[in-house]
Amino acid sequence: MKGDTVKELGSNIMVIYQDKKNNYWFGSWKTGVYKYDGKTLINYTTKHGLYIDRVDDIKEDPSGNIYFSGMNPNATTTKFDGKSFTHIKAIPSNEWKLEANDLWLKILHQTNQKVYRFDGKTLYELTLPSPPGFNQPFEIYSIYKDQKGNIWFGTNPVGVCRFDGKSFEWITEEDVTEFRQGGSNGVRSITEDKNGNFWFNTEFRYSIYDNSPLKSNQFYTRHESIGSLDGKNTSILNEYLSTVRDNDNNLWFVTYRDGVWKYDGKKITHYPVQENSTNIKLFSIYKDNNGDLWLGTHENGVYKFNGNTFEKFKP
C-alpha cells in the first residue's frame, strides 16, 4: 500500500514508536500515522487503509506486523503487514490470560472498563473488574508490562490494577488519581525504576511487595514522588503525563507545559521545551532502539534529545 510521500510531519504527533527494522512511526490524533525509514517520510491515513485517522497506540508483534489503535466506537484495530492494511474487530470475551507474545492494545471509546488482548489471531475485548467496594465506571488510560511480565492498567478515576495472569490487585488510594484542587487526572503513565518501584503520575511512588526487599504482606508501600524530591515540593510535577527510564536508569518526566524533568536518583534537572520562547504543550516521551529520547506534542511536531536539550526533529 503506497501512502503519501511528504516532506514534514504534521504538527500533532502524540505517539512515537520504532519497529524492529528501525523504522519510526509517528502517530497523530488528526492525520493518521507517518513512517520514516531514515530517508523517506510517508503518511498513511484512512484513504490508504487505516481504520481511523486518530492513533493512540502503536504495537508490533513477533512477526513484525504493526498495529494501530485509536479512539473508535467499534473496537477495531488496524494491522499493517508491510504491504497492506487489514481491520480486526474485537470479540467480547472473558478470556483473561497472560501469554508472553500477546499484545495489549488501547482502543478508546465510550464503553467503560474495556481492555484489549490480541493473541495473534483474535482480538479479545475484556472488561477489567472493578476494585472491591467501587461501583463507579472508569476508563483505561494506560497499559504497562513490568519486568516480570505482569500487566498494569492505569485508570480514571479508580487507581491502578495489576494482572499477574491469575488475579487482580488494586491500588485505589485517592492520591493515585485525584488533584488536590478536585477533579481527576487519571493514571496516564506507569513505569518501573531500577529498584523495582513503580511511578504513576501521582504524589507517591510505590514499592510492590514481591518486587522489593520489603518483608510485608501488604500489596504496596508508598514513598514520595518526583514533586517532593526537588527540594522545593513542586507538586505540579506529580501530574506529569508520560515517563520513561533511559539506558542509564535515569527517569524522565514529561509535563504538559513545563518541559521535561530528569531524575538520576539523587538530583532533578529541568529541560525547558520551547518554541519562540514559549513553552509548548507536550504529551509523551519515548525511548527508541538506540536509547535516544523523543517527545510527542500537541501542536509542535516531534522533538529529539541531543544530549543537552530537546530540539525540533526535521526528517
Side-chain angles (χ1 to χ4, degrees):
M1 175 61 66
K2 292 184 178 180
D4 294 332
T5 300
V6 296
K7 294 183 179 180
E8 60 185 17
L9 292 168
S11 57
N12 173 263
I13 302 293
M14 310 296 266
V15 185
I16 302 165
Y17 182 81
Q18 188 178 26
D19 65 28
K20 297 171 186 175
K21 296 180 179 179
N22 293 322
N23 299 305
Y24 288 97
W25 298 88
F26 302 100
S28 170
W29 280 0
K30 299 177 181 179
T31 54
V33 68
Y34 300 80
K35 177 186 177 182
Y36 182 62
D37 63 3
K39 297 180 180 180
T40 305
L41 185 65
I42 301 175
N43 182 211
Y44 297 105
T45 64
T46 51
K47 74 177 183 179
H48 306 109
L50 274 184
Y51 185 76
I52 194 168
D53 281 335
R54 170 168 171 159
V55 176
D56 291 273
D57 197 12
I58 304 174
K59 296 283 174 61
E60 182 178 11
D61 70 18
S63 299
N65 301 303
I66 311 294
Y67 299 81
F68 308 101
S69 303
M71 182 175 288
N72 72 79
N74 297 318
T76 299
T77 191
T78 302
K79 174 184 175 181
F80 183 60
D81 63 5
K83 297 181 179 180
S84 62
F85 293 95
T86 55
H87 301 155
I88 303 172
K89 184 174 175 56
I91 298 173
S93 173
N94 293 317
E95 289 286 317
W96 279 97
K97 294 182 179 180
L98 198 56
E99 305 290 344
N101 291 328
D102 283 355
L103 300 181
W104 292 84
L105 305 175
K106 285 193 298 183
I107 304 177
L108 309 174
H109 55 86
Q110 296 302 313
T111 304
N112 292 314
Q113 301 176 215
K114 303 299 183 184
V115 298
Y116 297 86
R117 180 177 69 85
F118 184 62
D119 65 1
K121 296 180 179 180
T122 303
L123 181 63
Y124 298 98
E125 181 181 77
L126 306 168
T127 301
L128 186 62
S130 297
F134 284 77
N135 297 315
Q136 65 190 107
F138 58 87
E139 298 290 339
I140 309 299
Y141 271 20
S142 55
I143 302 174
Y144 177 79
K145 178 180 283 189
D146 69 21
Q147 297 176 57
K148 292 189 173 183
N150 302 309
I151 296 294
W152 292 75
F153 303 102
T155 78
N156 183 34
V158 296
V160 186
C161 181
R162 185 187 75 171
F163 177 58
D164 63 4
K166 298 179 181 179
S167 60
F168 301 90
E169 297 268 16
W170 281 89
I171 300 175
T172 57
E173 296 180 50
E174 180 182 75
D175 307 284
V176 172
T177 55
E178 299 300 322
F179 286 157
R180 286 302 186 193
Q181 300 88 347
S184 179
N185 189 32
V187 178
R188 300 173 182 271
S189 175
I190 304 172
T191 198
E192 193 175 1
D193 67 20
K194 65 179 180 180
N195 299 315
N197 292 322
F198 285 82
W199 297 70
F200 316 124
N201 48 304
T202 72
E203 287 186 77
F204 299 96
R205 68 188 191 277
Y206 294 81
S207 295
I208 308 304
Y209 72 92
D210 55 4
N211 265 25
S212 70
L214 296 174
K215 302 291 185 180
S216 174
N217 293 323
Q218 292 183 327
F219 179 47
Y220 63 90
T221 57
R222 65 185 190 182
H223 317 274
E224 290 180 318
S225 189
I226 186 68
S228 302
L229 298 175
D230 65 347
K232 301 176 183 178
N233 195 26
T234 311
S235 60
I236 192 172
L237 283 183
N238 295 327
E239 297 161 9
Y240 56 85
L241 296 175
S242 179
T243 186
V244 73
R245 189 173 95 197
D246 69 18
N247 287 351
D248 295 320
N249 287 318
N250 302 303
L251 294 177
W252 296 76
F253 302 87
V254 165
T255 65
Y256 181 54
R257 299 201 73 153
D258 195 24
V260 181
W261 301 71
K262 181 181 79 171
Y263 178 55
D264 65 4
K266 296 180 180 179
K267 67 179 187 300
I268 294 174
T269 306
H270 183 217
Y271 297 88
V273 184
Q274 298 181 329
E275 194 160 298
N276 298 324
S277 301
T278 300
N279 289 337
I280 68 171
K281 292 184 285 188
L282 305 176
F283 184 75
S284 63
I285 187 166
Y286 176 76
K287 182 179 73 172
D288 70 14
N289 298 343
N290 295 319
D292 293 327
L293 301 180
W294 299 73
L295 302 178
T297 78
H298 285 263
E299 301 167 349
N300 298 87
V302 170
Y303 283 72
K304 184 180 180 182
F305 191 60
N306 64 15
N308 296 304
T309 186
F310 286 91
E311 61 182 1
K312 187 74 170 283
F313 172 69
K314 296 180 180 180

